[in-house]
Amino acid sequence: MNKYTKEAFVNLLEDKLTRKRRIHMEDASDKDLYYVIASIVKDELTPKWLDTQEKYKSNETRQVYYLSMEFLIGRLLESNLLNCGLLDVCNEALREIGRDPEEIYKNEHDAGLGNGGLGRLAACFLDSIASLNLPGHGSGIRYRYGLFEQRIIHGNQIELPDYWLKEEYPWETRKTDEAIEVHFGGSVHMHKKSDGTLEFSYHNTDKVMAVPYDVPVVGYQNNVVNTLRLWSAELPQDESDFLSEPSSQYYHHLDHTHSVEQISGFLYPDDSSFEGKELRLKQQYFLVSATIKGIINKFKDEHNLPLTSLQEKVVIQINDTHPSLAVPELMRILMDEEGLNWKQAWNVTTKVIAYTNHTTLSEALEKWPVSMIQNLLPRIFMIINEINERFCQGIWFDHPELRDSIPELAIIADDQVHMAHLAIVGSFSVNGVARLHTEILKTKEMKNFYTLYPRRFNNKTNGITHRRWLLQVNPCLSKAITEAIGPQWVKQPNKLISLLRYSNDRPFLEKIDQVKRENKQVLANLIHKQTGVTVDEESIFDVQIKRLHEYKRQLLNIFHVIYLYNELKENPSLDLTPRTFIFAAKAAPSYHLAKEVIKLIHHVASIVNFDKTVNGKLKVIFLENYNVSLAEKIIPAADISEQISTASKEASGTGNMKMMMNGALTVGTLDGANIEIKDLVGDDNIFIFGLKADEVLNYYKNGGYVAKDIYNTDERVRKILDQLNYGEFGAHEIEFKDIFYNILYHNDPYFVLKDFDPYIESHELIERAYRHKKSWQKMSVTNIAYSGKFSSDRTIKEYASEIWKI
Ligand code: 26Q
């Protein structure tokens, strides 16, 4: 797989620099080199891209479309080099000419087209689909602004726009000739044909062009290049032509232009609470309509088959309910544009669409006001209404035992359209993203639907691409693994299990330890550069990196820090293994309490980091602007992975898998995929604490937990809360009253106090365990060994064989 020698690659760089950028190597900036290397990669992948797509055309098998409002891809140059088999030679060539590869790769602006877990999952899935040589396509929106950039000023989060397209994005290709019209608003006319059937036509709709930009998805050294198609909203050509001089028409036109381009303007930055914003609904329909029309056009082009057999060639996976308008949109096209009757169209739709659920948090469920859908998408609303009518009638007649539940099951109720219900009723598969999560769906949140459609529900435990999250981000660990067990694990991540044989092998353990130390050193340098704080590389790097949410309980973590600080103040000679607590998290801009927690973390840091009595035993670091690229730096350096959500709340988690794969030990609750991690590594190789999901759910149902009791009886807790309330932390007395009140007067809805004691105890175990280097390393290796299961290759194989049948 050595296409180039180092010398040949250097020559190639030289040649490209002069021809493409008219500059000599000596004068080339890092950016010049970035663009030139991207261009070499594009030359490499373009023929494979064409071949792959050509093959799919003549291919008779079904193809999958992964529909998602988010694809959190991060940077692509290094992973594309890796997957093309050029990373090593490129790195060598760059070093040969005296350049640092990392300095060059970081010239790519992160594509931050996602909020967090759900968007990153979509990106990992694309990588696995291509690497497993499966015919699959991603479909999303080309937001002009990705997720905001976070700055912290005096502990406060400030959001800055992320204009990621400022400079040329080398990976995209605009496909003007494949643009598709999407229609909004207008009115629907119904007309009876001579055969008695109804015909629908639309009038005075607002037209928007969806212009595709294709991004290659490179499979791992297998010549496959799939496509991620990102749609951009533009004004239709005929509407920009008629313009001449300024008139009222002209301003109307400018206004319209503006509102059209807004559709792909920015990514909504919330990921936990639903707000029914019209622009968001427009985005969702825009994605769905463009994608489905594109699919149907291609089907008609490539196959000489009636649309009644669409399901033989196409399956659409919808990433949460955000694209669930796919159900009525596919119905609409099949009936109004392709002439199928209801029964035929419904048969096709419910064999094509599959739905993944990512949350059971009720505040996150999408429920759109009827009036909004009716105005924006009148025909779509009629179809949703009809689906609802037929569905409710079906229950009435076929499931008399569920008659009383019809109001809870209905798709339309209380003047709202319940998108999860639409997605369940209109699909053939409903899956959760970890075993516990799927069980909760089946037995609690979607119990009645499970009774109706038991065979529809299934579990697909999430995964992460081990190529990016191990091979690419941790090359030294990868090398050590390969030296021990050979290279097969790269193509078959389950083979990592062979590492178990090395869990007592001194030289191997020492090697692993050395790699971790080097990674910690690199992170320590970055921390120093970004925050000015020096951290002890020998300390435990205790990491919590994820979106900021009450249920993820960053608060519990910082309470632990405050507790340790208080202990040290009482007894400065306390024998404590030095710790560095590392946080990174963005809060949704409107999430007040989350922002308060960020402020609290900074406040604690500003006191702890500079207090001489602590004597360097504690450091608290908050790294701003958490994104994929920052995660890539932190994860290889983690000793402890904090996965401490209130049990039942975290559908799966994927950061837990990434850190495990890089040898961190998890401290966590029995929630999401933590449970599956624990089942693999065993109780001795993980630190589990706290309430279990059924206990949490019982407390919610029956009460019985009183936060104030803990405040009154546990001195440690009382002290911390009083410090927040009475402003002992710094000068501003009132700063953390909201947190104080939320816990004591809203009865601690996420059980921070209830889990405080067991959490502290777990950390005491961690502290003791870390002192025994050898056994710690053994635990670390055990975690890496079992992490193969969490490769998204495993997840995608399950989707492919059990849902997609490809
Ligand atoms: C919905 C409507 C309007 C605006 C925004 C949204 C929205 C956007 C993003 C709602 C939710 C999200 C993202 C959810 C998410 O990331 N969920 C996480 O998904 C991961 C992958 O399955 C899981 O590992 C996490 O447990 C889950 O929290």
Side-chain angles (χ1 to χ4, degrees), residues 26 50 56 114 294 322 387 418 578 617 677 707 718 734 746 782:
E26 310 80 72
L50 288 170
Y56 290 163
H322 317 154
I387 296 173
H418 200 311
K617 285 181 200 152
I677 293 178
R718 188 166 59 247
I734 44 172
H746 291 142
T782 307

Side-chain angles (χ1 to χ4, degrees), residues 62 299 303-314 340 347-348 352:
R62 205 196 318 252
F299 176 84
H303 308 283
N304 191 14
L305 288 170
L307 274 156
T308 46
S309 38
L310 184 69
Q311 68 277 11
E312 289 168 21
K313 303 293 174 195
V314 172
L340 273 59
N347 182 51
V348 171
V352 163

Side-chain angles (χ1 to χ4, degrees), residues 222-280:
N222 65 354
N223 296 321
V224 172
V225 181
N226 286 342
T227 304
L228 166 59
R229 177 158 277 198
L230 298 175
W231 300 94
S232 177
E234 292 182 10
L235 203 66
Q237 205 51 54
D238 55 340
E239 295 200 17
S240 46
D241 278 351
F242 79 100
L243 281 175
S244 49
E245 57 233 52
S247 69
S248 66
Q249 275 292 349
Y250 170 72
Y251 285 101
H252 175 80
H253 170 81
L254 281 186
D255 198 35
H256 183 54
T257 306
H258 181 69
S259 76
V260 165
E261 288 175 352
Q262 266 190 348
I263 294 175
S264 51
F266 71 93
L267 167 82
Y268 273 87
D270 336 68
D271 67 341
S272 61
S273 64
F274 171 71
E275 227 189 312
K277 287 273 202 301
E278 187 180 48
L279 180 56
R280 167 79 184 186

Side-chain angles (χ1 to χ4, degrees), residues 698-755:
N698 277 335
Y699 276 127
Y700 283 132
K701 217 162 121 196
N702 309 321
Y705 166 55
V706 183
K708 272 205 186 116
D709 290 347
I710 297 182
Y711 174 81
N712 288 329
T713 53
D714 189 328
E715 278 171 40
R716 304 164 300 177
V717 167
R718 188 166 59 247
K719 175 152 190 188
I720 295 167
L721 282 171
D722 288 347
Q723 283 169 317
L724 299 189
N725 192 30
Y726 301 119
E728 275 179 47
F729 277 125
H732 315 284
E733 188 177 316
I734 44 172
E735 253 170 334
F736 304 112
K737 279 211 176 353
D738 291 336
I739 295 173
F740 178 88
Y741 276 91
N742 193 258
I743 289 196
L744 287 186
Y745 298 96
H746 291 142
N747 203 33
D748 186 16
Y750 297 94
F751 301 91
V752 173
L753 301 195
K754 184 80 186 160
D755 276 346

